Amino acid sequence: MTADATRVAIRHDGDIVEARQKGRELAQQIGFTGSDLTLIATAISEIARNIVVYAGHGNIDLSITEKNGKRGLLVVARDEGPGIPDIERAMRDGYSTGNSLGLGLPGSRRLMDDFEIDSAVGRGTTVIMRKWKA
Amino acid sequence: MAIPILKQGDVLIASLQAAPTDQDLIQLKDELAERIGHFRSRIVAIDVSALDVMDSFATRTLRSIAHATKLRGANTVIVGIQPDVAFAMVQLGLTLDGIETALDLDEGLALMRAQPDGGASGDR
Amino acid sequence: MSDQQSRLQSSSIPLNEAEVDRRKRIVDLSGEDISRIVTLRNMVAEHTSRYVDAFFRHLDDLGEAPALFGKREVLEEAKRRKREHLAAMTAAQYDRNYVEQRVALALLYSRHGVSTPVFLGAFHHLLRALGNDIMKSVKDPNDAFQRFISLKKVAFFDIGIMTDVLISERERTINLQQDAIRELSTPVLQIREGLLILPIIGMIDSQRAKQLTDGLLRSIRANRARMVVMDITGVAAVDSKVANHLIQTIAAARLMGSTVIVTGLSADVAQALVALGVDLGKISTTGDLQSGLEEAERMLGYRVVRTNETTGPRLSA
């Protein structure tokens, strides 16, 4: 399998495991090694869990991206859940409305190179993360 | 896929397989609590060396296992966290404050045995 | 051959048709040029040996590439490839195969110490010999000049490829050396069973910090190290980024089941850390390396005793 893009449907907690394994495989294909693979898999695990916990279901799209001759992994997590009313607060460590440590979003941002979040109450949340191969 | 729990004297050993689901972890927590009561175990060792990811959920569950264990009079040691996993956990902001950790099962059991109260203080 | 193929692939020059066409466009090589170049084929074929000699004699006279002349078979290969080059220059097939031959020759130069300016000097010497002959053999000076210019386009096409390879090979060598230096600069040493020492000396940038963490955590696992003494006597300044990184490394080691003692924390660095908001209470420190090692040994259950027979310290568990 050398597909350049994969979609993982997130419906229950078992899908979280699948999403991070697919992410790891694709990252390996790009040439990431060692600790970077673990950082990527962990970040995917966090945002996938966010979907399960807050939205119930959604998708994670994994693909290879390129910028200035650098290759990287692009992760797009999308759900049509309740959305996040205060993104700034949600990005602060320790803030959580669900039953978690509140590290999911701010923590994932630390694990990846780029992190964007777009959320509208009642319409859902999209998280875009990238990690560049140094 | 249930996580196997092994009993050796007063020790319970749980070895996590690669990529357990949230359900597996919750089930482990319940089963450990029940068996500690049943066997009057003193030490719980959880081997996580097969895990390639420890995210906030897994860490939180292990922490709550350690706390529940202590309430039942036993102590928990987490053994075998891999280098890459440890680094990712720290980056994510996850710690296991107040919970014993060790390089592997042998070290973990030796550490718990060496403590005067069999590890009941949980601190170093 | 397979070694060479992998070297070609590892060089940063893409060898696809589009790239070859792009390079032809850059030097403005047209069909007209090619028909002019073809007329020079016989002249070049006749004097190939002289041109090749001119090229290598100039290189030898310069004395700038002794490695190329040190081994007979290397020089013979270089000469053979140069002859092949001259034939190909006027054969007018400037395709992937042609580019691959140029890359292979440049890799040979790079391996045997021919630098970019030295190569350019020798190549210019060869072009001058070619130019003189063209002026002699073609009667109309304007025509001769046009033919020479067309050939020069091919020469510049070649130079573009050759210098790209020479430069990228040089960068590759420098990168390999830097990796090696970085690896040497953060050694993790096992001094007793279960006890590692990590002396950190000099500047820590983020690249080195990452390598340091990686190296330490892997060594902890490989050596089953329960204690680590991290000595930062040789670190002059610590900024918040580096301080954070060190603290994260210590926290990661603790998750694995290993305890880190930091030694050699100077008063200046300690104050700087406090000013940065680093909680020094979270890391265990001792003054100097020796006391750190003693503390680590004590925690591992070692006791150092001096015996009567020898003057050196001896360990007993």
Side-chain angles (χ1 to χ4, degrees):
Chain A
M1 266 300 287
T2 51
D4 284 0
T6 336
R7 164 167 290 194
V8 183
I10 307 294
R11 293 164 311 247
H12 52 79
D13 66 285
D15 298 327
I16 299 171
V17 174
E18 198 196 330
R20 71 186 187 217
Q21 280 170 349
K22 286 269 158 61
R24 183 184 276 269
E25 279 167 25
L26 196 56
Q28 225 156 3
Q29 205 178 303
I30 295 169
F32 285 106
T33 53
S35 55
D36 280 341
L37 290 174
T38 306
L39 295 180
I40 289 166
T42 309
I44 293 173
S45 197
E46 292 298 321
I47 57 161
R49 175 161 291 99
N50 262 16
I51 293 178
V52 174
V53 173
Y54 295 103
H57 58 88
N59 289 313
I60 291 191
D61 288 306
L62 303 157
S63 58
I64 297 173
T65 182
E66 244 181 273
K67 191 178 77 181
N68 302 334
K70 272 191 188 177
R71 271 152 65 90
L73 179 75
L74 170 66
V75 182
V76 180
R78 210 174 266 125
D79 69 59
E80 292 173 0
I84 303 168
D86 186 345
I87 291 180
E88 207 184 300
R89 240 173 105 195
M91 288 308 296
R92 234 177 282 152
D93 270 336
Y95 175 78
S96 167
T97 58
N99 184 23
S100 76
L101 291 169
L103 289 166
L105 292 177
S108 304
R109 176 162 64 181
R110 281 195 293 272
L111 300 181
M112 303 293 277
D113 293 326
D114 301 343
F115 187 98
E116 295 153 34
I117 182 164
D118 182 27
S119 186
V121 173
R123 274 191 289 149
T125 303
T126 302
V127 174
I128 300 174
M129 315 190 289
R130 290 180 205 86
K131 185 120 188 138
W132 299 105
K133 177 88 188 65
Chain B
M1 180 186 70
I3 294 162
I5 301 170
L6 202 77
K7 175 184 172 293
Q8 254 180 22
D10 59 355
V11 183
L12 291 178
I13 301 166
S15 299
L16 301 198
Q17 311 299 303
T21 64
D22 295 2
Q23 285 311 312
D24 294 336
L25 289 170
I26 291 167
Q27 198 182 336
L28 174 68
K29 183 177 147 187
D30 296 345
E31 277 185 26
L32 276 175
E34 191 198 304
R35 294 203 197 178
I36 291 165
H38 192 254
F39 296 124
R40 295 165 179 270
S41 308
R42 299 284 317 280
I43 297 169
V44 173
I46 302 177
D47 186 348
V48 297
S49 53
L51 294 197
D52 62 354
V53 165
M54 283 259 277
D55 61 7
S56 55
F57 182 85
T59 306
R60 182 160 53 94
T61 309
L62 289 183
R63 226 189 265 176
S64 81
I65 287 175
H67 292 154
T69 301
K70 192 166 279 176
L71 289 177
R72 292 190 158 253
N75 286 293
T76 301
V77 59
I78 313 279
V79 304
I81 297 180
Q82 297 290 335
D84 293 341
V85 174
F87 188 63
M89 286 173 73
V90 171
Q91 294 268 295
L92 201 55
L94 300 170
T95 56
L96 288 169
D97 287 342
I99 300 168
E100 292 291 358
T101 52
L103 292 158
D104 54 28
L105 201 53
D106 286 351
E107 290 276 355
L109 294 181
L111 175 75
M112 301 307 268
R113 296 262 181 246
Q115 294 183 0
D117 56 356
S121 81
D123 290 319
R124 287 202 203 160
Chain C
M1 195 59 207
S2 72
D3 172 44
Q4 187 153 89
Q5 255 154 12
S6 66
R7 297 277 314 230
L8 286 181
Q9 277 154 9
S10 77
S11 97
S12 66
I13 313 293
L15 291 176
N16 55 40
E17 298 294 344
E19 175 62 19
V20 175
D21 285 343
R22 181 181 147 252
R23 285 173 181 267
K24 278 190 216 166
R25 264 202 318 282
I26 289 173
V27 295
D28 189 28
L29 188 68
S30 67
E32 222 172 293
D33 291 314
I34 288 175
S35 40
R36 280 194 206 109
I37 290 164
V38 171
T39 64
L40 302 171
R41 195 181 289 166
N42 288 338
M43 182 203 86
V44 170
E46 200 182 319
H47 301 291
T48 297
S49 297
R50 186 154 56 79
Y51 301 140
V52 170
D53 284 347
F55 180 85
F56 285 100
R57 199 173 326 114
H58 189 68
L59 268 183
D60 200 11
D61 288 349
L62 286 172
E64 298 255 8
L68 192 64
F69 295 91
K71 269 193 185 151
R72 195 184 170 79
E73 61 269 24
V74 172
L75 185 62
E76 286 310 313
E77 192 195 341
K79 285 187 171 175
R80 183 177 61 74
R81 286 185 181 278
K82 197 77 222 169
R83 275 194 293 276
E84 185 183 273
H85 180 200
L86 282 163
M89 260 181 109
T90 48
Q93 287 290 323
Y94 312 113
D95 52 8
R96 266 183 62 175
N97 188 40
Y98 183 87
V99 173
E100 275 175 32
Q101 287 180 356
R102 302 289 71 72
V103 171
L105 183 54
L107 287 174
L108 182 97
Y109 290 158
S110 157
R111 273 201 299 279
H112 296 97
V114 181
S115 69
T116 308
V118 170
F119 157 72
L120 287 175
F123 197 48
H124 182 257
H125 199 74
L126 182 150
L127 284 177
R128 211 169 55 188
L130 276 166
N132 283 335
D133 286 1
I134 294 171
M135 296 308 275
K136 264 184 252 166
S137 67
V138 181
K139 295 217 166 51
D140 175 15
N142 192 42
D143 186 18
F145 182 69
Q146 290 304 327
R147 290 189 206 193
F148 179 63
I149 289 298
S150 294
L151 188 66
K152 215 171 162 186
K153 288 183 183 177
V154 177
F156 271 80
F157 176 82
D158 297 348
I159 288 171
I161 297 160
M162 305 286 284
T163 51
D164 272 0
V165 173
L166 288 172
I167 290 167
S168 85
E169 283 299 294
R170 215 175 90 147
E171 279 172 358
R172 214 168 57 92
T173 309
I174 290 170
N175 283 339
L176 287 176
Q177 286 167 345
Q178 279 178 342
D179 283 352
I181 289 168
R182 267 199 286 271
E183 205 135 298
L184 285 174
S185 68
T186 46
V188 183
L189 313 165
Q190 172 166 314
I191 58 165
R192 305 240 186 284
E193 200 186 318
L195 172 55
L196 296 180
I197 170 167
L198 174 71
I200 308 178
I201 294 163
M203 289 287 294
I204 309 175
D205 56 16
S206 59
Q207 172 90 23
R208 188 166 168 223
K210 200 176 168 196
Q211 196 163 17
L212 188 148
T213 306
D214 223 47
L216 177 64
L217 297 183
R218 277 172 217 287
S219 298
I220 287 173
R221 176 125 210 107
N223 297 298
R224 300 178 81 224
R226 281 159 53 204
M227 297 293 305
V228 176
V229 175
M230 184 191 281
D231 183 60
I232 60 170
T233 312
V235 179
V238 176
D239 63 13
S240 61
K241 226 174 141 187
V242 169
N244 263 326
H245 199 95
L246 290 181
I247 285 164
Q248 284 179 345
T249 304
I250 293 166
R254 143 91 180 109
L255 285 175
M256 292 177 66
S258 189
T259 304
V260 178
I261 297 175
V262 178
T263 65
L265 193 70
S266 69
D268 284 352
V269 171
Q271 268 176 3
L273 291 181
V274 173
L276 289 166
V278 173
D279 184 0
L280 284 179
K282 280 196 172 174
I283 48 180
S284 75
T285 58
T286 65
D288 59 5
L289 180 56
Q290 189 180 343
S291 57
L293 287 175
E294 282 166 7
E295 171 73 3
E297 280 166 343
R298 195 185 57 75
M299 288 177 76
L300 285 172
Y302 287 115
R303 195 160 47 90
V304 180
V305 293
R306 189 186 287 272
T307 63
N308 291 330
E309 298 90 72
T310 58
T311 48
R314 183 176 287 183
L315 270 178
S316 68

